[in-house]
Amino acid sequence: MTKRVTPATLTVDNFIDGAWVGSDERFDVRDPGRRADVIARVAVADEAQVDRAVESAHKALKPWGAISIDDRAAAVLRAADLIEAEAEKGIEGLAGVVVRETGMLPVEIIMELRGAAYAARDNVEAAKVALEPVIVEDKASIVRIEHRPIGVVAAIVPWNAPIVLLIRKFAPALVAGDTLVIKTPPTAPVGVAILMEKLAGLFPRGVINVVHGGAETGAALSAHPKVRLISFTGGGAAAKQIMKTAADTLKNVQFELGGNDAAIVLDDVDMNKAIPTLIAGAFHRSGQFCFAIKRLYVPESIYDAFFDKLVAEIDAFRVGHPMDPRTTFGPINNPGQLAYLKSLVEKTHAAGGELIELGHKVDPESWDEGNYMLPVLVRKPAGDFDIVTCEQFGPVLPVMSYKSEDEVVALANGTEYGLGSSIWTSDFERGVALARRLEAGMTYINKNAQSRLGRRHMPFGGIKQSGIGTENSELGLAEFTEIHAMNFHKV
Amino acid sequence: MAALELDHLIDNQDVASPTRDDLSDPGRLDDVVARVARGGASEVDAAVKSAHRAFQSWKKTTYAERAELLRKAADLLDAEAETVVELMARESGMLVPTNKAEIGMAANIVRDNAEAGETFLSAKQVEDNESWVSVEKRPIGVIAAIIPWNAPIILAMRKVSPALVCGNTIVVKPAPTAPLGLSILLKKMAALFPPGVINVVHGGGDVGHALTVHPLVGKVSFTGGGAVARMIMKDAADGIKGVQFELGGNDPAILLDDADLDDALPKLLGGAFRRSGQFCFAVKRVYVPSSIYEEVVKRIEAEVDKFKVGHPLTKGVNFGPINNKGQFDFLKGLLERTRKGGYTVKELGSVVASETWEQGYYMRPVVVSDIDLEAELVQVEQFGPLLPVVRYDDLDQVVDSINDSELGLGSSIWTRDFDKALKLAQRLEVGMTFINNSGTSRLGQKNIPFGGVKQSGIGRESSPIGLREYVEYHAINFHK
């Protein structure tokens, strides 16, 4: 057993109008790998504090919007450099606290910080194209189309990758001239708050505000008449509530929600190359990311060989506390999610599903002190099992077999979700042709992630119940702007 | 004239309902123009299912095929205009020339959207050593289009044509007080397309609700009032559906002291009183500098006094009635309250056929001067022929007052100085600013994303930017 070091509990406040603001009501943030450890005591923002945060952001709109796009872009690029510098510090820097609150591995969080820096830079690049006025002219008139800030943006961020998911909102909003009120996730608010306070110095006072709390804080933010856009990443039930609240003041909404992303292996796949990459696409962050592979479809002809290789690879995972250097697989972020995953496993078992628990416990004695579970494969479950039809958001992967491409397309599309998807093949043409038949916002081929080029150019988001609108690229940037069209009539 | 029987259009078939609603001429209330089938949840379900069935093959057609059919539809609108312009006058109260111009413009909107699809719908592909990215656009599915009564053909074509060119199918709900002209034209258009691509269901709020919550409807596009928009958005929330709203405005016209009044005033008043003021981007308040205020008020009053108010089919009439009782009563109340404010209220124009005046929703055009920035008539959207003319000394104060409004659809600026206009336009929190006219030029119709900010809407219509509302993105990333 490794030596146990309990770091001091932090006090984290709301960040409003350039200053930390405490609150009488606080909640504890616990280490998901060692629940007894309270990482931070965090101030809850009540309605009055949310109002102050929005008013502060609203007041900052004029001075911030008056700065040129180039200067706003420069400030966002400096923010990107600061985030990257944090990544370089490893767990001695910001990554340390994010690892402890999320339960994600240091390598995952350091990658997340680097990804966040790139997301900021990519959005600046996209803004240079997207914010350029369009001017057309003929004998009778001139038309000029400008993109203006939408106003105060409420950015509501989830716990599973809080830094990068926030920066996807932060960067386009700020470069477009908007100001921000960020609501942090209750089980991972600390890293976001520390980073935002650090970055706020690059911007005029009030441009960045941070509030903490649960559904009530979110509701106060969604209802505030001076918020013009709610950009939310999280679950569908919360999204519905947000949209209903937003309706009263006709706010714009942009939602990136869950998925039940299918991975389709084709029979020409190079198994040795594909399997490690595919496993990362499913089990990275212990399966806790929106576009994780959530259903795996393997052709009947190669099923047994493919499944055996999966079992062998996944069995190598060592599940434990993320700060333990032996660990390659962290805990589940919160007890609610762990209980949901266990119930899915239980239901699958009760329905007669074949479950294979894999991997090893790093520290069996302290297993129950954290939200731990071993990765699980489900062999050939029936298509109507909950583990197939629901989003698990955790390390339980159902592996189905199929006979024809038509069959697998129908299975993949037979869901209310439509976020990502992936195809694994040696044949480019076949992969792209199949991709075009999938009902999803994104399809990755031969890796379940965006390439460097993809991060810059792909609008990130889903269709059907997986979202409204999109993030990243010129198309995502447009969500953070309003259009003002001017029409000069020549006399 | 005998009342027409107007049915729903589902799968290119006329479908009746057990109940019908009388549609009366707003200018002659005892004239029942049509008896309109009253739809409910079952007609909505049949129409949406028809649209969803049609979508399965329509989505596989090429852009070129769809654009070609839309161009035919545009030609059809032009060709059929004469057959409905008088009926439209009898249902909406709008003038025949207005209806004719509306259908001509609607045909252009269809052509513009068909054309905009060509570049917009092509995939954007980039490649480097590591990977290949293709950003593709796909239809959403079944679109619900909810249309208001004030300019139904144009406002429907702003939804039907982009929806169809992107590969969606559509269920249109016309307004209960102006369903006739639109439905007749849609039925003729629908015959050009596979059955189910265009469907029409009549009814009130319950039909709109049933459409919005139907699980096979992918998006709701609505033009109308804010209160209804809020209900639609709440209904849409349960299905996490996208919404596109074009709502009201309280559009200011700002005259600068260098305006060419001879050119400006007729255009500005057309922008305020066309359709008896019943259109979303009508000039709803006029701001005039002190230095020319008395002159401008005098000239506005003289110009407005020339209107001849009466039934749109009566010879010599150039100013029609208000479309419906609710709007008429609202305007009467607003006029009463404005009178009590102590401002200079002038009821202008002349009444044609005063013996039938009480048989319709008639009111004369009203110009209100010596009115404050804070007056109700200045602060609320009237949507009718009551025009406040406000004096100003301080332009900054005018800009602040306009931007304090929760509405932000259109606006207009009247000046000879291009740079001054641009600088002022950039200070206004609105979706559109027209300079030296109140409305879009032909180039503007093609290129301007039509819509408003704040409580005036969500999303845009027309132009390549408007087409974004009718697609979903599918990004494909091939790793080498």
mmCIF file of all heavy atoms in Angstrom, chain A residues 53-65 149-155 169-170 172-182 203-209 226-229 480:
data_model
loop_
_atom_site.group_PDB
_atom_site.id
_atom_site.type_symbol
_atom_site.label_atom_id
_atom_site.label_comp_id
_atom_site.label_asym_id
_atom_site.label_seq_id
_atom_site.Cartn_x
_atom_site.Cartn_y
_atom_site.Cartn_z
ATOM 1 N N ALA A 53 -23.157 38.170 -10.458
ATOM 2 C CA ALA A 53 -22.227 37.670 -11.489
ATOM 3 C C ALA A 53 -22.705 38.074 -12.882
ATOM 4 O O ALA A 53 -21.916 38.516 -13.724
ATOM 5 C CB ALA A 53 -22.097 36.149 -11.374
ATOM 6 N N VAL A 54 -24.026 37.930 -13.122
ATOM 7 C CA VAL A 54 -24.552 38.277 -14.451
ATOM 8 C C VAL A 54 -24.454 39.785 -14.674
ATOM 9 O O VAL A 54 -24.065 40.241 -15.760
ATOM 10 C CB VAL A 54 -26.009 37.783 -14.619
ATOM 11 C CG1 VAL A 54 -26.581 38.258 -15.953
ATOM 12 C CG2 VAL A 54 -26.080 36.263 -14.527
ATOM 13 N N GLU A 55 -24.776 40.558 -13.642
ATOM 14 C CA GLU A 55 -24.672 42.015 -13.787
ATOM 15 C C GLU A 55 -23.228 42.429 -14.068
ATOM 16 O O GLU A 55 -22.968 43.334 -14.871
ATOM 17 C CB GLU A 55 -25.189 42.727 -12.526
ATOM 18 C CG GLU A 55 -26.709 42.647 -12.344
ATOM 19 C CD GLU A 55 -27.503 43.416 -13.407
ATOM 20 O OE1 GLU A 55 -26.927 44.248 -14.128
ATOM 21 O OE2 GLU A 55 -28.716 43.146 -13.530
ATOM 22 N N SER A 56 -22.302 41.769 -13.400
ATOM 23 C CA SER A 56 -20.887 42.066 -13.636
ATOM 24 C C SER A 56 -20.504 41.752 -15.088
ATOM 25 O O SER A 56 -19.847 42.548 -15.767
ATOM 26 C CB SER A 56 -20.041 41.248 -12.647
ATOM 27 O OG SER A 56 -18.777 40.969 -13.175
ATOM 28 N N ALA A 57 -20.949 40.599 -15.574
ATOM 29 C CA ALA A 57 -20.654 40.221 -16.968
ATOM 30 C C ALA A 57 -21.339 41.189 -17.932
ATOM 31 O O ALA A 57 -20.780 41.562 -18.967
ATOM 32 C CB ALA A 57 -21.131 38.792 -17.229
ATOM 33 N N HIS A 58 -22.542 41.606 -17.578
ATOM 34 C CA HIS A 58 -23.290 42.507 -18.458
ATOM 35 C C HIS A 58 -22.603 43.871 -18.548
ATOM 36 O O HIS A 58 -22.504 44.473 -19.617
ATOM 37 C CB HIS A 58 -24.729 42.650 -17.947
ATOM 38 C CG HIS A 58 -25.634 43.325 -18.927
ATOM 39 N ND1 HIS A 58 -26.052 44.621 -18.780
ATOM 40 C CD2 HIS A 58 -26.168 42.889 -20.083
ATOM 41 C CE1 HIS A 58 -26.811 44.948 -19.810
ATOM 42 N NE2 HIS A 58 -26.898 43.922 -20.610
ATOM 43 N N LYS A 59 -22.107 44.321 -17.393
ATOM 44 C CA LYS A 59 -21.413 45.610 -17.367
ATOM 45 C C LYS A 59 -20.128 45.544 -18.193
ATOM 46 O O LYS A 59 -19.726 46.522 -18.821
ATOM 47 C CB LYS A 59 -21.072 45.956 -15.907
ATOM 48 C CG LYS A 59 -21.069 47.431 -15.598
ATOM 49 C CD LYS A 59 -21.004 47.670 -14.089
ATOM 50 C CE LYS A 59 -19.747 47.058 -13.517
ATOM 51 N NZ LYS A 59 -19.851 46.419 -12.220
ATOM 52 N N ALA A 60 -19.499 44.387 -18.201
ATOM 53 C CA ALA A 60 -18.227 44.237 -18.920
ATOM 54 C C ALA A 60 -18.407 44.109 -20.429
ATOM 55 O O ALA A 60 -17.437 44.203 -21.187
ATOM 56 C CB ALA A 60 -17.481 43.006 -18.382
ATOM 57 N N LEU A 61 -19.652 43.907 -20.878
ATOM 58 C CA LEU A 61 -19.875 43.708 -22.319
ATOM 59 C C LEU A 61 -19.397 44.877 -23.155
ATOM 60 O O LEU A 61 -18.779 44.698 -24.198
ATOM 61 C CB LEU A 61 -21.369 43.519 -22.595
ATOM 62 C CG LEU A 61 -21.945 42.110 -22.512
ATOM 63 C CD1 LEU A 61 -23.452 42.180 -22.725
ATOM 64 C CD2 LEU A 61 -21.303 41.183 -23.545
ATOM 65 N N LYS A 62 -19.720 46.084 -22.700
ATOM 66 C CA LYS A 62 -19.404 47.263 -23.514
ATOM 67 C C LYS A 62 -17.897 47.434 -23.681
ATOM 68 O O LYS A 62 -17.418 47.488 -24.803
ATOM 69 C CB LYS A 62 -20.057 48.511 -22.930
ATOM 70 C CG LYS A 62 -21.041 49.105 -23.912
ATOM 71 C CD LYS A 62 -21.600 50.429 -23.474
ATOM 72 C CE LYS A 62 -22.837 50.708 -24.326
ATOM 73 N NZ LYS A 62 -23.725 51.672 -23.710
ATOM 74 N N PRO A 63 -17.148 47.518 -22.561
ATOM 75 C CA PRO A 63 -15.700 47.679 -22.731
ATOM 76 C C PRO A 63 -15.059 46.514 -23.493
ATOM 77 O O PRO A 63 -14.190 46.732 -24.346
ATOM 78 C CB PRO A 63 -15.170 47.763 -21.296
ATOM 79 C CG PRO A 63 -16.292 47.378 -20.403
ATOM 80 C CD PRO A 63 -17.558 47.616 -21.155
ATOM 81 N N TRP A 64 -15.500 45.314 -23.239
ATOM 82 C CA TRP A 64 -14.880 44.154 -23.909
ATOM 83 C C TRP A 64 -15.245 44.121 -25.388
ATOM 84 O O TRP A 64 -14.396 43.866 -26.244
ATOM 85 C CB TRP A 64 -15.306 42.868 -23.195
ATOM 86 C CG TRP A 64 -14.728 41.623 -23.776
ATOM 87 C CD1 TRP A 64 -15.423 40.550 -24.242
ATOM 88 C CD2 TRP A 64 -13.335 41.290 -23.943
ATOM 89 N NE1 TRP A 64 -14.558 39.582 -24.692
ATOM 90 C CE2 TRP A 64 -13.284 40.020 -24.520
ATOM 91 C CE3 TRP A 64 -12.142 41.963 -23.667
ATOM 92 C CZ2 TRP A 64 -12.067 39.390 -24.829
ATOM 93 C CZ3 TRP A 64 -10.939 41.342 -23.977
ATOM 94 C CH2 TRP A 64 -10.905 40.072 -24.542
ATOM 95 N N GLY A 65 -16.509 44.417 -25.716
ATOM 96 C CA GLY A 65 -16.939 44.421 -27.110
ATOM 97 C C GLY A 65 -16.285 45.543 -27.913
ATOM 98 O O GLY A 65 -16.170 45.466 -29.132
ATOM 99 N N PRO A 149 -21.191 40.341 -30.768
ATOM 100 C CA PRO A 149 -21.300 39.511 -29.570
ATOM 101 C C PRO A 149 -22.769 39.220 -29.276
ATOM 102 O O PRO A 149 -23.631 40.064 -29.512
ATOM 103 C CB PRO A 149 -20.712 40.396 -28.464
ATOM 104 C CG PRO A 149 -20.047 41.545 -29.141
ATOM 105 C CD PRO A 149 -20.515 41.620 -30.549
ATOM 106 N N ILE A 150 -23.035 38.031 -28.772
ATOM 107 C CA ILE A 150 -24.418 37.694 -28.428
ATOM 108 C C ILE A 150 -24.783 38.298 -27.072
ATOM 109 O O ILE A 150 -25.940 38.546 -26.789
ATOM 110 C CB ILE A 150 -24.634 36.171 -28.470
ATOM 111 C CG1 ILE A 150 -26.103 35.820 -28.657
ATOM 112 C CG2 ILE A 150 -24.071 35.469 -27.243
ATOM 113 C CD1 ILE A 150 -26.358 34.377 -29.043
ATOM 114 N N GLY A 151 -23.767 38.533 -26.225
ATOM 115 C CA GLY A 151 -24.031 39.134 -24.917
ATOM 116 C C GLY A 151 -23.438 38.288 -23.797
ATOM 117 O O GLY A 151 -22.369 37.713 -23.958
ATOM 118 N N VAL A 152 -24.151 38.216 -22.698
ATOM 119 C CA VAL A 152 -23.667 37.412 -21.570
ATOM 120 C C VAL A 152 -23.957 35.934 -21.869
ATOM 121 O O VAL A 152 -25.093 35.574 -22.176
ATOM 122 C CB VAL A 152 -24.350 37.818 -20.249
ATOM 123 C CG1 VAL A 152 -23.890 36.910 -19.113
ATOM 124 C CG2 VAL A 152 -24.063 39.282 -19.933
ATOM 125 N N VAL A 153 -22.925 35.123 -21.788
ATOM 126 C CA VAL A 153 -23.071 33.688 -22.028
ATOM 127 C C VAL A 153 -22.972 32.948 -20.694
ATOM 128 O O VAL A 153 -22.036 33.182 -19.923
ATOM 129 C CB VAL A 153 -21.971 33.177 -22.986
ATOM 130 C CG1 VAL A 153 -22.028 31.657 -23.126
ATOM 131 C CG2 VAL A 153 -22.088 33.855 -24.350
ATOM 132 N N ALA A 154 -23.954 32.084 -20.432
ATOM 133 C CA ALA A 154 -23.861 31.187 -19.276
ATOM 134 C C ALA A 154 -23.250 29.890 -19.769
ATOM 135 O O ALA A 154 -23.798 29.242 -20.654
ATOM 136 C CB ALA A 154 -25.241 30.930 -18.688
ATOM 137 N N ALA A 155 -22.087 29.549 -19.230
ATOM 138 C CA ALA A 155 -21.406 28.311 -19.626
ATOM 139 C C ALA A 155 -21.552 27.319 -18.484
ATOM 140 O O ALA A 155 -21.048 27.549 -17.393
ATOM 141 C CB ALA A 155 -19.939 28.591 -19.923
ATOM 142 N N LYS A 169 -16.141 26.656 -24.733
ATOM 143 C CA LYS A 169 -17.139 27.731 -24.649
ATOM 144 C C LYS A 169 -16.448 29.080 -24.406
ATOM 145 O O LYS A 169 -16.789 30.089 -24.994
ATOM 146 C CB LYS A 169 -18.121 27.438 -23.501
ATOM 147 C CG LYS A 169 -18.764 26.044 -23.600
ATOM 148 C CD LYS A 169 -19.693 25.780 -22.440
ATOM 149 C CE LYS A 169 -20.123 24.322 -22.351
ATOM 150 N NZ LYS A 169 -20.768 23.775 -23.548
ATOM 151 N N PHE A 170 -15.484 29.028 -23.495
ATOM 152 C CA PHE A 170 -14.712 30.210 -23.098
ATOM 153 C C PHE A 170 -14.077 30.897 -24.317
ATOM 154 O O PHE A 170 -14.249 32.107 -24.516
ATOM 155 C CB PHE A 170 -13.641 29.700 -22.115
ATOM 156 C CG PHE A 170 -12.539 30.625 -21.745
ATOM 157 C CD1 PHE A 170 -12.596 31.335 -20.539
ATOM 158 C CD2 PHE A 170 -11.398 30.755 -22.532
ATOM 159 C CE1 PHE A 170 -11.550 32.153 -20.162
ATOM 160 C CE2 PHE A 170 -10.358 31.577 -22.158
ATOM 161 C CZ PHE A 170 -10.433 32.286 -20.967
ATOM 162 N N PRO A 172 -14.475 30.656 -27.820
ATOM 163 C CA PRO A 172 -15.309 31.314 -28.838
ATOM 164 C C PRO A 172 -16.101 32.486 -28.270
ATOM 165 O O PRO A 172 -16.255 33.508 -28.941
ATOM 166 C CB PRO A 172 -16.240 30.193 -29.329
ATOM 167 C CG PRO A 172 -16.209 29.150 -28.266
ATOM 168 C CD PRO A 172 -14.863 29.254 -27.618
ATOM 169 N N ALA A 173 -16.584 32.340 -27.027
ATOM 170 C CA ALA A 173 -17.356 33.437 -26.434
ATOM 171 C C ALA A 173 -16.491 34.683 -26.323
ATOM 172 O O ALA A 173 -16.894 35.773 -26.742
ATOM 173 C CB ALA A 173 -17.887 33.027 -25.057
ATOM 174 N N LEU A 174 -15.292 34.529 -25.779
ATOM 175 C CA LEU A 174 -14.476 35.716 -25.524
ATOM 176 C C LEU A 174 -13.949 36.338 -26.809
ATOM 177 O O LEU A 174 -13.933 37.559 -26.952
ATOM 178 C CB LEU A 174 -13.333 35.382 -24.568
ATOM 179 C CG LEU A 174 -13.792 34.977 -23.155
ATOM 180 C CD1 LEU A 174 -12.599 34.825 -22.225
ATOM 181 C CD2 LEU A 174 -14.785 35.968 -22.576
ATOM 182 N N VAL A 175 -13.543 35.532 -27.749
ATOM 183 C CA VAL A 175 -13.027 36.128 -28.985
ATOM 184 C C VAL A 175 -14.173 36.820 -29.737
ATOM 185 O O VAL A 175 -13.969 37.845 -30.394
ATOM 186 C CB VAL A 175 -12.256 35.101 -29.843
ATOM 187 C CG1 VAL A 175 -13.172 34.115 -30.524
ATOM 188 C CG2 VAL A 175 -11.405 35.811 -30.891
ATOM 189 N N ALA A 176 -15.379 36.310 -29.588
ATOM 190 C CA ALA A 176 -16.532 36.950 -30.240
ATOM 191 C C ALA A 176 -16.966 38.234 -29.538
ATOM 192 O O ALA A 176 -17.767 38.987 -30.077
ATOM 193 C CB ALA A 176 -17.711 35.974 -30.308
ATOM 194 N N GLY A 177 -16.448 38.474 -28.327
ATOM 195 C CA GLY A 177 -16.799 39.704 -27.621
ATOM 196 C C GLY A 177 -17.861 39.519 -26.541
ATOM 197 O O GLY A 177 -18.359 40.493 -25.980
ATOM 198 N N ASP A 178 -18.218 38.276 -26.267
ATOM 199 C CA ASP A 178 -19.175 37.995 -25.200
ATOM 200 C C ASP A 178 -18.460 38.018 -23.854
ATOM 201 O O ASP A 178 -17.234 37.965 -23.790
ATOM 202 C CB ASP A 178 -19.794 36.600 -25.390
ATOM 203 C CG ASP A 178 -20.434 36.436 -26.750
ATOM 204 O OD1 ASP A 178 -21.012 37.415 -27.237
ATOM 205 O OD2 ASP A 178 -20.338 35.336 -27.330
ATOM 206 N N THR A 179 -19.237 38.037 -22.783
ATOM 207 C CA THR A 179 -18.673 37.850 -21.452
ATOM 208 C C THR A 179 -19.317 36.609 -20.836
ATOM 209 O O THR A 179 -20.317 36.103 -21.348
ATOM 210 C CB THR A 179 -18.895 39.090 -20.578
ATOM 211 O OG1 THR A 179 -20.305 39.334 -20.479
ATOM 212 C CG2 THR A 179 -18.212 40.302 -21.174
ATOM 213 N N LEU A 180 -18.730 36.130 -19.748
ATOM 214 C CA LEU A 180 -19.069 34.794 -19.265
ATOM 215 C C LEU A 180 -19.482 34.754 -17.805
ATOM 216 O O LEU A 180 -18.864 35.408 -16.962
ATOM 217 C CB LEU A 180 -17.835 33.891 -19.371
ATOM 218 C CG LEU A 180 -17.460 33.328 -20.732
ATOM 219 C CD1 LEU A 180 -16.061 32.709 -20.644
ATOM 220 C CD2 LEU A 180 -18.456 32.264 -21.175
ATOM 221 N N VAL A 181 -20.505 33.934 -17.542
ATOM 222 C CA VAL A 181 -20.724 33.445 -16.184
ATOM 223 C C VAL A 181 -20.656 31.922 -16.285
ATOM 224 O O VAL A 181 -21.445 31.304 -17.014
ATOM 225 C CB VAL A 181 -22.076 33.886 -15.609
ATOM 226 C CG1 VAL A 181 -22.247 33.327 -14.196
ATOM 227 C CG2 VAL A 181 -22.182 35.400 -15.600
ATOM 228 N N ILE A 182 -19.683 31.364 -15.588
ATOM 229 C CA ILE A 182 -19.445 29.925 -15.673
ATOM 230 C C ILE A 182 -20.040 29.265 -14.441
ATOM 231 O O ILE A 182 -19.807 29.711 -13.322
ATOM 232 C CB ILE A 182 -17.926 29.660 -15.724
ATOM 233 C CG1 ILE A 182 -17.334 30.280 -17.000
ATOM 234 C CG2 ILE A 182 -17.623 28.171 -15.619
ATOM 235 C CD1 ILE A 182 -15.867 30.631 -16.886
ATOM 236 N N PHE A 203 -8.083 39.719 -18.877
ATOM 237 C CA PHE A 203 -9.269 40.337 -19.466
ATOM 238 C C PHE A 203 -9.775 41.457 -18.553
ATOM 239 O O PHE A 203 -9.475 41.464 -17.366
ATOM 240 C CB PHE A 203 -10.365 39.264 -19.628
ATOM 241 C CG PHE A 203 -9.936 38.113 -20.499
ATOM 242 C CD1 PHE A 203 -9.285 37.002 -19.953
ATOM 243 C CD2 PHE A 203 -10.147 38.142 -21.861
ATOM 244 C CE1 PHE A 203 -8.872 35.939 -20.751
ATOM 245 C CE2 PHE A 203 -9.732 37.085 -22.675
ATOM 246 C CZ PHE A 203 -9.098 35.986 -22.112
ATOM 247 N N PRO A 204 -10.558 42.376 -19.092
ATOM 248 C CA PRO A 204 -11.148 43.406 -18.222
ATOM 249 C C PRO A 204 -11.988 42.764 -17.113
ATOM 250 O O PRO A 204 -12.532 41.672 -17.287
ATOM 251 C CB PRO A 204 -12.036 44.209 -19.177
ATOM 252 C CG PRO A 204 -11.490 43.956 -20.537
ATOM 253 C CD PRO A 204 -10.918 42.578 -20.508
ATOM 254 N N ARG A 205 -12.087 43.481 -16.016
ATOM 255 C CA ARG A 205 -12.849 42.986 -14.870
ATOM 256 C C ARG A 205 -14.285 42.670 -15.266
ATOM 257 O O ARG A 205 -14.902 43.419 -16.009
ATOM 258 C CB ARG A 205 -12.848 44.053 -13.769
ATOM 259 C CG ARG A 205 -13.292 43.585 -12.416
ATOM 260 C CD ARG A 205 -12.757 44.524 -11.357
ATOM 261 N NE ARG A 205 -13.297 45.869 -11.541
ATOM 262 C CZ ARG A 205 -14.297 46.372 -10.812
ATOM 263 N NH1 ARG A 205 -14.840 45.679 -9.843
ATOM 264 N NH2 ARG A 205 -14.737 47.583 -11.028
ATOM 265 N N GLY A 206 -14.796 41.544 -14.808
ATOM 266 C CA GLY A 206 -16.184 41.184 -15.084
ATOM 267 C C GLY A 206 -16.386 40.349 -16.340
ATOM 268 O O GLY A 206 -17.472 39.819 -16.555
ATOM 269 N N VAL A 207 -15.348 40.239 -17.166
ATOM 270 C CA VAL A 207 -15.503 39.442 -18.390
ATOM 271 C C VAL A 207 -15.683 37.957 -18.033
ATOM 272 O O VAL A 207 -16.446 37.238 -18.681
ATOM 273 C CB VAL A 207 -14.294 39.649 -19.338
ATOM 274 C CG1 VAL A 207 -14.301 38.648 -20.493
ATOM 275 C CG2 VAL A 207 -14.311 41.080 -19.887
ATOM 276 N N ILE A 208 -14.991 37.518 -16.971
ATOM 277 C CA ILE A 208 -15.094 36.116 -16.550
ATOM 278 C C ILE A 208 -15.599 36.070 -15.114
ATOM 279 O O ILE A 208 -14.999 36.667 -14.215
ATOM 280 C CB ILE A 208 -13.715 35.432 -16.619
ATOM 281 C CG1 ILE A 208 -13.207 35.417 -18.059
ATOM 282 C CG2 ILE A 208 -13.787 34.018 -16.048
ATOM 283 C CD1 ILE A 208 -11.760 34.987 -18.181
ATOM 284 N N ASN A 209 -16.686 35.373 -14.893
ATOM 285 C CA ASN A 209 -17.243 35.168 -13.552
ATOM 286 C C ASN A 209 -17.495 33.682 -13.363
ATOM 287 O O ASN A 209 -17.822 32.979 -14.327
ATOM 288 C CB ASN A 209 -18.555 35.927 -13.399
ATOM 289 C CG ASN A 209 -18.383 37.408 -13.652
ATOM 290 O OD1 ASN A 209 -18.031 38.162 -12.759
ATOM 291 N ND2 ASN A 209 -18.592 37.836 -14.899
ATOM 292 N N LYS A 226 -30.673 38.816 -18.316
ATOM 293 C CA LYS A 226 -29.527 39.401 -19.026
ATOM 294 C C LYS A 226 -28.591 38.345 -19.608
ATOM 295 O O LYS A 226 -27.599 38.689 -20.245
ATOM 296 C CB LYS A 226 -28.770 40.355 -18.112
ATOM 297 C CG LYS A 226 -29.552 41.647 -17.928
ATOM 298 C CD LYS A 226 -28.803 42.714 -17.206
ATOM 299 C CE LYS A 226 -29.656 43.989 -17.181
ATOM 300 N NZ LYS A 226 -29.192 44.926 -16.159
ATOM 301 N N VAL A 227 -28.899 37.074 -19.396
ATOM 302 C CA VAL A 227 -28.131 36.021 -20.071
ATOM 303 C C VAL A 227 -28.757 35.799 -21.443
ATOM 304 O O VAL A 227 -29.964 35.634 -21.546
ATOM 305 C CB VAL A 227 -28.156 34.710 -19.253
ATOM 306 C CG1 VAL A 227 -27.574 33.559 -20.045
ATOM 307 C CG2 VAL A 227 -27.412 34.895 -17.936
ATOM 308 N N ARG A 228 -27.953 35.821 -22.509
ATOM 309 C CA ARG A 228 -28.539 35.676 -23.851
ATOM 310 C C ARG A 228 -28.293 34.301 -24.470
ATOM 311 O O ARG A 228 -28.968 33.918 -25.418
ATOM 312 C CB ARG A 228 -27.978 36.763 -24.795
ATOM 313 C CG ARG A 228 -28.579 38.149 -24.592
ATOM 314 C CD ARG A 228 -30.106 38.173 -24.553
ATOM 315 N NE ARG A 228 -30.705 37.505 -25.690
ATOM 316 C CZ ARG A 228 -31.885 36.893 -25.659
ATOM 317 N NH1 ARG A 228 -32.606 36.839 -24.567
ATOM 318 N NH2 ARG A 228 -32.351 36.315 -26.746
ATOM 319 N N LEU A 229 -27.285 33.595 -23.997
ATOM 320 C CA LEU A 229 -27.015 32.251 -24.531
ATOM 321 C C LEU A 229 -26.650 31.345 -23.379
ATOM 322 O O LEU A 229 -25.861 31.736 -22.510
ATOM 323 C CB LEU A 229 -25.843 32.295 -25.532
ATOM 324 C CG LEU A 229 -25.227 30.945 -25.938
ATOM 325 C CD1 LEU A 229 -26.173 30.128 -26.806
ATOM 326 C CD2 LEU A 229 -23.912 31.139 -26.700
ATOM 327 N N PHE A 480 -21.967 31.745 -30.874
ATOM 328 C CA PHE A 480 -21.639 32.751 -29.860
ATOM 329 C C PHE A 480 -21.774 34.176 -30.389
ATOM 330 O O PHE A 480 -21.301 35.114 -29.764
ATOM 331 C CB PHE A 480 -20.225 32.493 -29.324
ATOM 332 C CG PHE A 480 -20.136 31.208 -28.542
ATOM 333 C CD1 PHE A 480 -19.899 30.001 -29.168
ATOM 334 C CD2 PHE A 480 -20.347 31.216 -27.169
ATOM 335 C CE1 PHE A 480 -19.861 28.808 -28.443
ATOM 336 C CE2 PHE A 480 -20.301 30.040 -26.436
ATOM 337 C CZ PHE A 480 -20.061 28.825 -27.078
#
